[in-house]
Amino acid sequence: MLALYLAQIVNSGLALGAVYGVMALGFSLIFSASRLINFAQGELLLLGGLTIMSLAGVMQLPPAAALLAAAVAGFLLGRTLFSTTLGLTLRATPLRQLMLTVAASLVFQGVAILCWGKNPLMPPRLLPLPDLRLGLFFLGRDTVTALALAVAAVIVLGLFLGRTRLGRALRATSQNAVAARLQGVDTVFCHALSFALAGALASLAALAVGPQTGLRYDMGLGLGLKGFAAATIGGYTSLGRVFAGGIILGLAEAAMVLTVSGEFKETAIYVLITILLVAAPREHDERP
């Protein structure tokens, strides 16, 4: 019986954790480049997922095209978010910039209601990966899909940041924006790029979470907060640690659902977020 519970926790926890991990990568990118927490990240997932669902229904997209379309749609949504918020207020106070992202999340939620309504929608499984059995552990196709998307996102993002000129410019901006500007780096472009890449990540996460839970107009805030908590657990600076933060959070949530109560889960997770915000290392706040 214990092995059965453990296997179920691993299967559910990895499916959720992979989604939280990808969301956390988006938080980490934007925070590193601009020292801003983007509370519209969850709505980027929602709008990206709904857009791909509609495109896939109309155009009958094959898996590779669906992946590309999701990345492009998320990229454009993230770039639009930057152009309408931080891009207009680069010299504004952090509180004002933060509230702009909150306002943008409400606007995006309103757009989702106007275009797709309030009823939950179940998108098709665009990536037909099979179930996987590893000894005692059984990973369902939703878990396999979420993990495959998340690991691919971590690898591609790592290669982009480490091996390309644009990626190195983004890293330089995150380490010291003033020094990067003096070396000829267009830091405003790098800020915009971080939002666009975060949007692409959120849209890919929608392909993983959509077939698990469906897409609903009010799901963005919860997913965004959990992505934020995962990024805080991981420390924002390392892609691997940030993604691991999402996996830890997903496993903890699955364990609480199966061993305590599904109703208690949300309360416990938000208590954890509060503790993390209080206990997070101060170096994240003090970095220039």
Side-chain angles (χ1 to χ4, degrees):
M1 182 61 74
L2 178 61
L4 184 61
Y5 270 111
L6 186 58
Q8 185 60 42
I9 288 171
V10 170
N11 182 45
S12 301
L14 290 180
L16 291 172
V19 174
Y20 299 158
V22 174
M23 292 291 285
L25 293 176
F27 275 101
S28 177
L29 274 175
I30 292 177
F31 180 80
S32 296
S34 58
R35 299 296 179 267
L36 177 69
I37 299 298
N38 173 29
F39 281 108
Q41 187 72 8
E43 274 65 31
L44 288 176
L45 179 152
L46 175 64
L47 279 189
L50 290 171
T51 301
I52 297 307
M53 184 190 71
S54 296
L55 282 177
V58 172
M59 303 176 66
Q60 299 295 313
L61 294 176
L67 270 176
L68 180 61
V72 171
F75 190 91
L76 294 177
L77 283 170
R79 184 65 178 82
T80 301
L81 177 63
F82 175 81
S83 299
T84 54
T85 56
L86 187 64
L88 300 175
T89 59
L90 280 174
R91 297 184 182 279
T93 62
L95 177 60
R96 186 178 172 189
Q97 293 175 339
L98 184 71
M99 291 310 297
L100 276 172
T101 69
V102 174
S105 74
L106 296 175
V107 171
F108 281 2
Q109 190 178 114
V111 170
I113 293 173
L114 284 174
C115 296
W116 288 277
K118 288 188 172 181
N119 294 325
L121 298 171
M122 186 61 70
R125 288 180 171 83
L126 296 174
L127 302 177
L129 297 178
D131 299 333
L132 182 64
R133 182 172 290 281
L134 299 171
L136 293 175
F137 296 104
F138 172 79
L139 302 181
R141 55 185 175 178
D142 289 338
T143 304
V144 175
T145 300
L147 284 174
L149 279 171
V151 171
V154 172
I155 292 174
V156 171
L157 187 59
L159 291 174
F160 171 75
L161 293 176
R163 302 292 179 85
T164 67
R165 186 180 180 86
L166 269 180
R168 287 193 288 271
L170 193 58
R171 289 170 56 201
T173 301
S174 70
Q175 290 169 4
N176 191 319
V178 175
R181 195 178 305 120
L182 291 175
Q183 293 296 318
V185 174
D186 186 345
T187 54
V188 175
F189 175 79
C190 288
H191 291 158
L193 181 62
S194 68
F195 269 78
L197 290 175
L201 288 168
S203 193
L204 291 176
L207 294 184
V209 75
Q212 295 183 49
T213 65
L215 297 173
R216 196 180 62 246
Y217 73 96
D218 58 350
M219 67 186 296
L221 177 62
L223 282 173
L225 285 176
K226 289 170 185 173
F228 167 57
T232 304
I233 293 172
Y236 293 95
T237 56
S238 163
L239 295 182
R241 287 201 300 270
V242 165
F243 180 68
I247 296 295
I248 291 170
L249 189 63
L251 290 172
E253 183 175 320
M256 278 187 278
V257 169
L258 289 176
T259 58
V260 183
S261 164
E263 296 175 352
F264 178 70
K265 172 196 71 174
E266 295 296 327
T267 302
I269 288 297
Y270 290 124
V271 168
L272 175 62
I273 291 173
T274 303
I275 294 172
L276 287 171
L277 287 174
V278 172
R282 288 188 176 276
E283 61 178 347
H284 300 321
D285 302 326
E286 293 173 353
R287 289 175 62 182

